[in-house]
Amino acid sequence: MVRFSSLFLLFQAATLIFASPTERRSLATTAWDYIVVGSGPAGIITASRLSENTAKNVLLLEGGGPSYYVTGGRERPAWLAGTSLSRVDVPGLYLSIFSNPSSLTCGNNVNAFGGCTVGGSSAINAGLFFEPPASDFDSYFPAGWKHADLVPSINRLYATQPSSDVPSQDKMQYLQSGYIAAKNWIVAKAGFTELSINANAARKNKVFGHPVYDYNNAQRGGPAISYMQKALTRSNFHLQSGAWVQRVVRNGNTATGVVANVSGVLTTYSLSAKGRVIVSGGALKSPELLMKSGIGDPAVLERLQKANKLGGIPATSWINNTAVGAKLFDNPNTFIELSSPNFQSYVYSYDNPPASDKALYLQHRSGPYSFASEISVFWDTVKRADGSLAGMQGTIGTAGYSGYQNSSTVTLNIYGTSGLKSTGKVVLDSNFVPGQSGVYYSNPQDAQDIATFIRRIFDALPGTGITPLNIPQSATQAQIAQYITTPSAYAVGQVNHWSSSCRIGACVDTNTIVVGMKNLHVVDGSIVAPLTVNPQMGIMIAAERASELIQKLG
């Protein structure tokens, strides 16, 4: 029975992803109750939840193609031949996405690194799954989106999405030399508390522990597995990949459908009389789509009109809103290369894993390839003179980076998180491709706060046997601030944790409806304020909440 179910789901996914021209015409002639644009984590969750009302037809459009094996993905190294695994399914192949060619990323469609495939960035990232503390929602979100409002959404997410801080199926922690040495530094010397991260989600001050991953049986999980596979069994849910949505079709303040480029053919997908469009393209692509639909900063709309990029929408029908694409956030990060005789560096191989590690994974879903290289995580805050707090996060991997890659080196990645003051905006380049401007250290206070945190943990290094290599252990707070704001292989790079570019209360209302529209929504990282943790779980929570609110609108 299990085998039949798996094959059935695979057939469903493959049929929809590689739809024939006849099937595409059928989708284009249907009046849809919900059209969701983008099959990233938010889009999949929203479309899946909306399809639970089987009286409503739901169309999920994705510009990219397959990813996981079950979706038709077949990119993989030779050692996975004969298995039901693509490169996406194996957590230990996560880092290879940055160095091995792949059709999974957005390429020339976005001026940033991201996933343009079924699953979006959840199909290519590490799969870190950290519940935001209640204080994030209570401090940075409006009424209707406070933590108490979101508890049902959080509970639904946990009930649907598996996760674990011990992903290996033999229940062993692997590659722990870095964890043990870091614990001696961060816990024993710096005074942090070791704990189970999501079991203590509210605690993000001086805490340390094992990363939590959203994996399922030591394979990459995420909404493409946990939500979409069930949705594909419903006759009212349809997925169309290879459909790059160009703009929302609207009559004044009412969306009537979307126009997509499908294999070079412009195709219109239409709404039913009471239908809704939900834009879930991510914090860079969603503002772009609004702009190209005549919604945004009038200066940007004028530029698009001159280039004939608005589909003939007259200026009298524009919805002028400078909040579209504004206050874009990404975590400013710094790689600190750490050396110690206690570290045993481990470099993951795409083509040739060690034979024993390959066997462990293929035969038992265990070993180093059962997780995505992050071995420890910790949080703290920096309190400013005015009493406000800046959140800080550190993660430690299994290997060195760039110029520091010997057998006793690992990488510490320091993020600034919630409470930072720097934001930028989504901009369109000369080819009208979206990217970022002004995100990192636009407010100098952030550099001071992050440097304060780094100096603080450096003060606990003596006696640990750990030596920072690219920033001297004796560096002053001012010298650290200078280092982290000077572009290099280790500083001022894009983390691609994009969020906050279409904020609730300015760009969308509390029902996620675009300001000035009646039935056009944005549900993705764009509506999520900067969080204390990696944004993936927070985005999933937001999608659960948004789908609940949209369903109530009828």
Side-chain angles (χ1 to χ4, degrees):
M1 185 66 182
V2 172
R3 178 175 294 179
F4 174 80
S5 176
S6 298
L7 290 172
F8 175 75
L9 291 174
L10 175 58
F11 173 77
Q12 288 284 319
T15 300
L16 289 163
I17 289 172
F18 301 106
S20 69
T22 300
E23 289 167 323
R24 289 173 183 167
R25 284 196 295 271
S26 176
L27 297 180
T29 57
T30 299
W32 298 96
D33 297 302
Y34 299 110
I35 297 175
V36 181
V37 180
S39 71
I44 289 175
I45 289 174
T46 303
S48 298
R49 288 302 187 197
L50 293 175
S51 73
E52 290 175 353
N53 180 350
T54 55
K56 302 284 189 178
N57 285 327
V58 180
L59 176 63
L60 177 59
L61 297 174
E62 168 57 45
S67 50
Y68 303 77
Y69 190 95
V70 74
T71 70
R74 295 298 181 268
E75 279 190 23
R76 59 186 180 182
W79 65 276
L80 294 181
T83 71
S84 296
L85 299 168
S86 78
R87 69 184 298 173
V88 170
D89 294 292
V90 181
L93 296 181
Y94 147 68
L95 286 174
S96 71
I97 200 73
F98 297 98
S99 56
N100 293 73
S102 172
S103 64
L104 302 167
T105 57
C106 294
N108 295 329
N109 293 292
V110 182
N111 289 320
F113 189 87
C116 285
T117 185
V118 174
S121 288
S122 68
I124 66 169
N125 63 23
L128 294 172
F129 192 70
F130 301 130
E131 181 181 339
S135 57
D136 278 358
F137 299 110
D138 292 338
S139 299
Y140 306 120
F141 284 70
W145 287 79
K146 301 299 185 182
H147 185 258
D149 304 305
L150 293 169
V151 168
S153 302
I154 295 169
N155 290 341
R156 286 196 302 273
L157 177 58
Y158 273 124
T160 308
Q161 177 58 60
S163 61
S164 177
D165 60 2
V166 189
S168 183
Q169 290 301 281
D170 60 8
K171 301 306 176 185
M172 292 179 61
Q173 297 282 9
Y174 285 83
L175 310 181
Q176 291 298 289
S177 67
Y179 186 91
I180 294 167
K183 178 181 174 181
N184 182 51
W185 170 28
I186 300 298
V187 176
K189 298 290 187 178
F192 284 51
T193 300
E194 183 183 25
L195 46 68
S196 176
I197 299 302
N198 280 357
N200 298 275
R203 296 183 60 179
K204 290 295 178 287
N205 191 39
K206 297 181 80 67
V207 296
F208 173 93
H210 289 284
V212 183
Y213 294 100
D214 65 351
Y215 301 161
N216 187 4
N217 298 322
Q219 292 181 205
R220 180 187 292 275
I225 301 298
S226 54
Y227 285 79
M228 194 177 76
Q229 297 309 308
K230 186 173 182 178
L232 284 166
T233 66
R234 303 182 188 118
S235 61
N236 64 319
F237 177 93
H238 299 271
L239 168 67
Q240 172 67 64
S241 68
W244 291 97
V245 175
Q246 307 295 297
R247 66 181 181 276
V248 177
V249 182
R250 59 188 182 85
N251 181 8
N253 62 1
T254 303
T256 60
V258 301
V259 173
N261 184 329
V262 184
S263 302
V265 178
L266 289 181
T267 304
T268 299
Y269 298 93
S270 300
L271 288 175
S272 63
K274 294 184 179 180
R276 297 180 178 275
V277 172
I278 297 97
V279 178
S280 299
L284 296 177
K285 289 290 287 181
S286 288
E288 175 209 13
L289 183 55
L290 294 184
M291 294 170 189
K292 291 180 177 177
S293 305
I295 304 169
D297 186 328
V300 176
L301 302 185
E302 288 174 9
R303 182 171 160 241
L304 287 165
Q305 184 186 51
K306 289 178 181 178
N308 195 29
K309 297 291 184 180
L310 286 182
I313 301 172
T316 53
S317 295
W318 294 354
I319 296 175
N320 297 327
N321 187 345
T322 57
V324 174
K327 296 187 176 180
L328 175 68
F329 181 79
D330 186 23
N331 299 112
N333 82 306
T334 301
F335 293 141
I336 302 176
E337 303 308 308
L338 303 173
S339 178
S340 170
N342 296 318
F343 292 152
Q344 297 173 13
S345 180
Y346 185 93
V347 178
Y348 287 83
S349 171
Y350 182 76
D351 292 308
N352 296 298
S356 58
D357 293 343
K358 177 171 68 175
L360 261 178
Y361 189 76
L362 292 179
Q363 297 172 21
H364 305 290
R365 293 296 187 269
S366 298
Y369 280 75
S370 67
F371 68 100
S373 79
E374 306 296 341
I375 54 174
S376 63
V377 62
F378 56 94
W379 283 269
D380 200 2
T381 56
V382 171
K383 189 173 184 178
R384 305 186 183 107
D386 64 2
S388 62
L389 298 176
M392 302 291 152
Q393 177 180 327
T395 58
I396 297 178
T398 63
Y401 175 69
S402 191
Y404 303 94
Q405 297 192 54
N406 64 34
S407 61
S408 59
T409 301
V410 300
T411 301
L412 165 61
N413 192 359
I414 295 292
Y415 298 147
T417 64
S418 59
L420 296 194
K421 297 179 178 292
S422 298
T423 60
K425 63 180 179 179
V426 176
V427 295
L428 305 180
D429 69 9
S430 59
N431 294 314
F432 302 97
V433 175
Q436 69 86 21
S437 176
V439 169
Y440 308 103
Y441 301 115
S442 56
N443 188 311
Q445 182 64 51
D446 292 344
Q448 298 304 312
D449 294 338
I450 295 170
T452 295
F453 176 63
I454 294 173
R455 183 60 261 166
R456 183 190 298 169
I457 59 175
F458 274 17
D459 287 340
L461 278 169
T464 64
I466 298 172
T467 302
L469 301 177
N470 56 318
I471 302 177
Q473 183 174 332
S474 61
T476 65
Q477 190 262 3
Q479 289 170 330
I480 295 171
Q482 178 66 32
Y483 182 89
I484 68 176
T485 56
T486 301
S488 71
Y490 310 96
V492 203
Q494 292 183 353
V495 180
N496 302 298
H497 290 172
W498 307 109
S499 70
S500 315
S501 57
C502 187
R503 299 202 183 198
I504 300 172
C507 180
V508 297
D509 68 13
T510 54
N511 285 317
T512 72
I513 300 173
V514 174
V515 172
M517 293 291 293
K518 289 184 176 180
N519 61 337
L520 176 60
H521 301 252
V522 174
V523 181
D524 57 23
S526 306
I527 68 171
V528 176
L531 299 172
T532 301
V533 298
N534 297 60
Q536 179 163 267
M537 186 174 181
I539 291 170
M540 295 183 191
I541 293 168
E544 281 280 9
R545 175 62 172 160
S547 60
E548 175 187 358
L549 295 169
I550 292 169
Q551 285 173 322
K552 291 179 180 178
L553 296 174

